[in-house]
Amino acid sequence: VHYAFHSGALCVSCDGGGTDTLVFLGMGALAIVAIVCITLIASRGSMAQTDTSVMVGVSAGLLITSLQTLGVYDQLSFSWFEPVDTFLITVRLLSFNLSALRAECMWGSGAVLGYIARQLVAPLSFPIIVLTISVKHRFRGARSKIGPSVVNATGAICNIFFISIMVSCTGPLICYSHPGGSSSM
């Protein structure tokens, strides 16, 4: 089976090598590490956090939110000039747009498949959160229940990626007009 991916307005053939899979797996591993770090930071007790760690956390959250807001501009039907276009392609990952990783080269292209993949990114972080907190409680010998820590960490991740989750959910509702006068989603 031969796959292709969209590069701007062009449909480019996949190279057939394993580089697409390696990049996809590498970014997946990086995402898992980020979720584990956010979980460990969010599950710390409020008494254990210093002013500096709170400031760094708030600043990182604002940076991620700003980049996600820029990612919304990528949804516009507009041809961006080169430095902005390359930056928006990079920011696509924060809005769960897996086409930036050329995921179509691994499982094929299709609007429904792409939408399902984007919808599964956020729920797939939940088992990572539960596993991280379970391991943390196991090795630290904590006597408290893990439920509040899981809810706190899940809420922090949903708060950080709120814009991306909403952009991903409302993607199919965007209507495109065609030159013949008709419209489609």
Side-chain angles (χ1 to χ4, degrees):
V1 178
H2 186 71
Y3 296 121
F5 66 97
H6 294 283
S7 176
L10 302 173
C11 187
V12 181
S13 178
C14 296
D15 61 0
T19 57
D20 297 327
T21 305
L22 288 176
V23 169
F24 187 79
L25 292 176
M27 291 304 288
L30 186 64
I32 289 171
V33 168
I35 291 170
V36 168
C37 290
I38 293 170
T39 301
L40 291 174
I41 291 170
S43 66
R44 288 178 66 186
S46 59
M47 300 302 287
Q49 294 188 11
T50 63
D51 291 339
T52 306
S53 65
V54 171
M55 183 192 67
V56 168
V58 169
S59 298
L62 286 172
L63 175 67
I64 291 172
T65 302
S66 300
L67 291 174
Q68 289 173 356
T69 304
L70 283 174
V72 172
Y73 289 112
D74 189 43
Q75 303 291 323
L76 298 174
S77 292
F78 186 75
S79 297
W80 296 97
F81 50 92
E82 180 42 43
V84 176
D85 188 41
T86 303
F87 182 72
L88 289 177
I89 288 171
T90 306
V91 173
R92 283 182 191 167
L93 291 175
L94 285 176
S95 63
F96 306 147
N97 190 346
L98 301 179
S99 66
L101 293 175
R102 296 174 17 174
E104 296 95 349
C105 291
M106 288 178 285
W107 59 61
S109 61
V112 174
L113 190 59
Y115 180 73
I116 290 171
R118 288 177 79 169
Q119 292 307 305
L120 288 177
V121 170
L124 286 177
S125 67
F126 186 72
I128 299 168
I129 294 169
V130 172
L131 182 66
T132 302
I133 292 177
S134 297
V135 168
K136 177 184 169 186
H137 276 259
R138 173 86 172 139
F139 285 118
R140 289 211 175 157
R143 303 264 184 224
S144 63
K145 296 181 180 181
I146 66 169
S149 297
V150 169
V151 170
N152 192 19
T154 303
I157 289 176
C158 287
N159 191 15
I160 290 170
F161 292 108
F162 177 76
I163 295 172
S164 297
I165 293 169
M166 288 296 108
V167 167
S168 177
C169 289
T170 59
L173 302 177
I174 297 173
C175 192
Y176 295 100
S177 59
H178 298 285
S182 62
S183 300
S184 66
M185 292 184 159

